Amino acid sequence: MLAAWKKSFLLIVFSYLSSYLCASEQDSLSARYLKAKDDGLAFMAQIGGHPFDTQLAFLDSAVNQTDDLKKAAYHIQFVKKYLKRHEAVDSLLLLAEQHLLALNCQRGAAEAMFYKGLRAMQSHQTEVVHSALNEAARLFRLTDYPEGVFYSFSRLANYYSKLDNFQLANKYNREVLSLADTIGDVNLKESAYLNVANCYSEQGAVNEAVIYYNLLEKSLEQSHNSKRYKPLYNNLGVLYIHQENWEKANEYLLKSLAIKEQEGDSLGMFGSYQNLFRISLKTQQLKNATSYYSKMNALKPRLTIPIDQLLTFKYNSTIYHILTDNKTNAVDDFKQYTSIKDSINNAVFANELLSIEEGYEIDKRNQTIELLQQKEALQNTQVANLKTIIGIVVAFLVVLLVNGFYMKRQWVKLNEADKRLQEKQDEVIMANKRLETLNKSKDRILSVIGHDLRGPVGGLKELVELYMELPELEPQDITNLLKTARESSSGAYYLLENLLTWANSQRGEIEFKAMLTPVYPVIRKSIDLLNQSINTKNIGFEINIHPTLSIPVDVNMFRTIVRNLVSNAIKHSHKNGLVEVNAEARDGEVLFSVVDHGQGMTADMISQLFAKKEAYYISSDESANGTGLGLILCKEFVERHGGRIWVDSEKEVGTRVCFTLPMTTTMAYSIEKTRASMIG
């Protein structure tokens, strides 16, 4: 239970850290992109006075040597300015999108997808518009930029409203209103009110449109955003015309007209005059109607008036001339009205004719489809019968498979249990063998302590007692006694040190620490200590090692190797003999040798020296030649350095003990790591 809780906690922490690191990376990418975006805006301002082709050349030169993030940011700013030049900007927008997606820069990719959606609007690629702007909104959310989500959904709402897909338009408008409330920006909220009101107006939902226009008007009373008064007043005036609320319509249209006149918006003024002209005719205010009629005629020559507005103007003019009893002008305007309407109707008729032809083709296809459906129904009946039979067979097979699955699972479980039992038995056998080996080791150590330590310690005790009983000994006799005592105590000390070192090694308590060490001083010091403590045979020493030779070794292990090999050489040398210690560098390693000219060994004796570690303590030989523990330690410590050890000897000629050590720390360290992993 506790382990599961810890695991869940660690998973939560890991998930949080991963999210934090990803968010930090995105924040960094967004910051870099926004900096590059600002640089791109400044760059576009600098080249703004040049022709388009020149600006494009300047852009290529500016981003030629930059990274992909900055290049994409510059391209997007260029596309933003020249969104309608599709021949040039499409390729730039595609490159920017590819770079930003490859870099996983979500903020930049969101802007690329946003402008991709706007480009698709111009070519009426509805699927691309929908997918691109929704993806832009998703990426803006991930980078915590709700304003971007607002603009994406607002564009989608307007687009679907123009396509008369009011279901989707209303859906995205609800998202826009919710985002405006969440963001709390007055400008965005007013934009949302205007777009939603326009959408309701286009779908004929007058009451809903008036509600949002009124909300916008109340907000403008606080914000005084003059740019939105003109569309607000104009659209409210038009809505009130539909409701035949002439007074309200006249009030708002006059407000809109005042703003248009102030801005010099001639086409907008014509539209306002037209609506006011219509109201004047409806309310029989002919004086006002005459004024608006004159103003529209004054503006007409300077404007390119949309055909629907021109048609409305001719219709209203006809009504005006009838009311003012100007029959000639009424007939002329009516003829122009019918001519314009006929041209529109002809275009509509052509479209309807095309629709009829398409409908005829559709009818033919429908008949063919109906025949195919009848055939398909017959085939479906046959297939249903076949499916029933197949279902029965499949059900039977499933039952068999389920039973087989459970039987196989039980068989696998039995096999696994048998394997686990066999593994446990093997572990018990291995444990028994280890216990047997440890018992033999214990018996041998006790034998060593009882035999090898009792002799020198007992001799030392007798020497002390002899000295206590015969205090009148001559100085020379005392010196001889002390030499003998020193030899006994040194032998016991080195034996104890080997025993303790070996025991620590078996428990894994000796840590290998290699460092670059001068070889000569270590060997010199070890020989000097042995010369003082156990050299009673007047043995001479010759050290053939270059004083500058340094290799990576564990100093304590190396000192133990040298001490044991030189001590053995002293033991097996004749009186007044010579012990040589040599070192030679070759092929990335150093060859060491300790040579004595003593009694030597036979081939059988050499073969037993470096047998398994257990060999030395199951031997029955407990002669004065020693336990062999020192050589076992030497072998183990040499191998932990990554070296080798061997013996060359000839009976009554002498013995050469050789070992190698690598000259580089890397070799020694890698070998020690391999050994440690095997032990672990």
Side-chain angles (χ1 to χ4, degrees), residues 464-477:
V464 173
E465 289 177 351
L466 179 62
Y467 176 73
M468 295 295 292
E469 292 174 1
L470 301 171
E472 68 278 1
L473 288 173
E474 295 294 329
Q476 184 61 41
D477 294 333

Side-chain angles (χ1 to χ4, degrees), residues 348-491:
V348 172
F349 177 74
N351 290 333
E352 289 178 352
L353 183 61
L354 182 61
S355 299
I356 290 171
E357 292 175 353
E358 290 177 351
Y360 176 70
E361 293 295 329
I362 290 171
D363 287 340
K364 289 176 64 178
R365 286 200 301 270
N366 287 340
Q367 292 176 2
T368 305
I369 290 170
E370 187 175 352
L371 290 173
L372 291 174
Q373 285 175 340
Q374 291 175 357
K375 291 181 180 179
E376 185 181 6
L378 182 61
Q379 290 176 350
N380 287 341
T381 303
Q382 295 173 347
V383 170
N385 294 333
L386 183 60
K387 283 182 178 178
T388 302
I389 297 171
I390 293 173
I392 295 171
V393 174
V394 168
F396 179 72
L397 291 174
V398 167
V399 172
L400 289 179
L401 287 172
V402 169
N403 287 333
F405 171 75
Y406 280 107
M407 291 177 65
K408 182 178 180 181
R409 191 166 69 173
Q410 293 299 324
W411 180 77
V412 170
K413 287 182 178 179
L414 287 173
N415 274 347
E416 290 177 351
D418 185 59
K419 287 180 181 179
R420 288 196 296 270
L421 180 60
Q422 186 62 44
E423 289 172 357
K424 294 295 182 184
Q425 290 176 346
D426 293 341
E427 290 176 3
V428 171
I429 292 171
M430 292 298 296
N432 287 335
K433 288 183 178 179
R434 285 196 297 271
L435 287 173
E436 183 180 353
T437 301
L438 291 172
N439 281 330
K440 290 180 180 179
S441 177
K442 177 201 68 175
D443 293 341
R444 178 58 176 155
I445 291 171
L446 291 174
S447 174
V448 168
I449 295 173
H451 181 275
D452 291 89
L453 285 180
R454 183 168 53 186
V457 173
L460 182 61
K461 175 177 175 295
E462 291 175 0
L463 288 172
V464 173
E465 289 177 351
L466 179 62
Y467 176 73
M468 295 295 292
E469 292 174 1
L470 301 171
E472 68 278 1
L473 288 173
E474 295 294 329
Q476 184 61 41
D477 294 333
I478 293 173
T479 301
N480 291 334
L481 282 174
L482 289 175
K483 286 182 178 180
T484 305
R486 182 179 65 185
E487 183 180 0
S488 297
S489 62
S490 296

Side-chain angles (χ1 to χ4, degrees), residues 329-361:
N329 288 339
V331 171
D332 290 342
D333 282 345
F334 184 72
K335 287 181 179 179
Q336 292 180 31
Y337 168 76
T338 54
S339 175
I340 295 170
K341 191 171 183 179
D342 286 343
S343 65
I344 295 174
N345 289 338
N346 288 337
V348 172
F349 177 74
N351 290 333
E352 289 178 352
L353 183 61
L354 182 61
S355 299
I356 290 171
E357 292 175 353
E358 290 177 351
Y360 176 70
E361 293 295 329

Side-chain angles (χ1 to χ4, degrees), residues 121 156-166 169 199 202:
M121 284 182 182
L156 277 169
N158 292 340
Y159 180 72
Y160 282 120
S161 180
K162 291 176 182 177
L163 294 180
D164 293 338
N165 188 341
F166 297 117
C199 180
E202 288 174 6

Side-chain angles (χ1 to χ4, degrees), residues 10 76 111 129 161-162 183 261 288 334 377 395 443 458 501 523:
L10 288 173
I76 287 177
E111 294 199 2
V129 172
S161 180
K162 291 176 182 177
I183 296 169
E261 288 176 343
N288 290 339
F334 184 72
D443 293 341
T501 302
I523 294 177

Side-chain angles (χ1 to χ4, degrees), residues 483-540:
K483 286 182 178 180
T484 305
R486 182 179 65 185
E487 183 180 0
S488 297
S489 62
S490 296
Y493 171 78
Y494 290 133
L495 179 57
L496 277 174
E497 187 172 359
N498 278 342
L499 280 169
L500 290 173
T501 302
W502 178 82
N504 289 333
S505 174
Q506 298 309 298
R507 290 197 301 270
E509 293 182 0
I510 298 180
E511 184 179 358
F512 180 81
K513 294 181 179 179
M515 59 172 46
L516 193 62
T517 306
V519 171
Y520 182 86
V522 177
I523 294 177
R524 177 78 266 175
K525 186 174 181 180
S526 297
I527 290 175
D528 289 343
L529 290 173
L530 292 171
N531 188 34
Q532 295 172 10
S533 59
I534 64 171
N535 187 9
T536 60
K537 299 180 182 180
N538 197 29
I539 303 298

